[in-house]
Amino acid sequence: MDNDVIEQLYYGNLLANERDIKRGSAQDKACKAFADAEALLTLKLAGEEKRALLALTDAHSEILGESECECFCRGFRLGAMLIMDVFAGTDELFMED
C-alpha cells in the first residue's frame, strides 16, 4: 500500500522535523533578518564580543531545537489522546434494542 503511514515511517520517508519555509512568508522574512544581523555582527565584532555572539547564536539554535521537539511531542500526544477519546466513546453510538 503506497499510503501506509507505518511503512513510510519505517522506510524513513516521514521526517516531521524537515519542512520547507515558504518564500516571502513571515517566517522566511524573520529567518533572513536573523541571518543578516548575525552575518553583519560576525563581520563587525572581534575577540570576546565575537565569541559571545557565536555562543548566543549556538544557544539560540539549541533552544529552538529543544522547543520544536517539545512541541512535536506534545502535539503527537494530543493527537493520540483525541483518537483514544474518539474510540472510547464508540459504545454510545450503538443503541441496543
Side-chain angles (χ1 to χ4, degrees):
M1 177 180 248
D2 290 341
N3 292 328
D4 187 344
V5 173
I6 297 171
E7 187 175 315
Q8 294 300 317
L9 183 63
Y10 173 80
Y11 286 114
N13 296 329
L14 294 178
L15 304 172
N17 62 330
E18 291 185 11
R19 57 192 164 98
D20 294 327
I21 295 174
K22 190 174 185 178
R23 288 184 190 262
S25 67
Q27 186 177 14
D28 183 42
K29 291 174 185 173
C31 286
K32 285 180 181 173
F34 184 87
D36 290 346
E38 180 185 10
L40 176 65
L41 288 171
T42 301
L43 286 173
K44 299 279 184 181
L45 297 176
E48 188 63 30
E49 290 86 6
K50 188 172 187 174
R51 284 190 289 280
L53 172 66
L54 295 175
L56 177 69
T57 57
D58 288 346
H60 179 260
S61 293
E62 190 172 329
I63 290 168
L64 256 164
E66 291 297 320
S67 179
E68 286 179 351
C69 180
E70 174 75 17
C71 287
F72 174 80
C73 291
R74 291 183 81 190
F76 192 88
R77 287 184 183 108
L78 176 59
M81 287 171 52
L82 288 169
I83 291 169
M84 288 172 47
D85 191 48
V86 166
F87 283 114
T90 56
D91 291 344
E92 298 170 9
L93 295 175
F94 304 106
M95 300 180 79
E96 293 183 25
D97 292 334

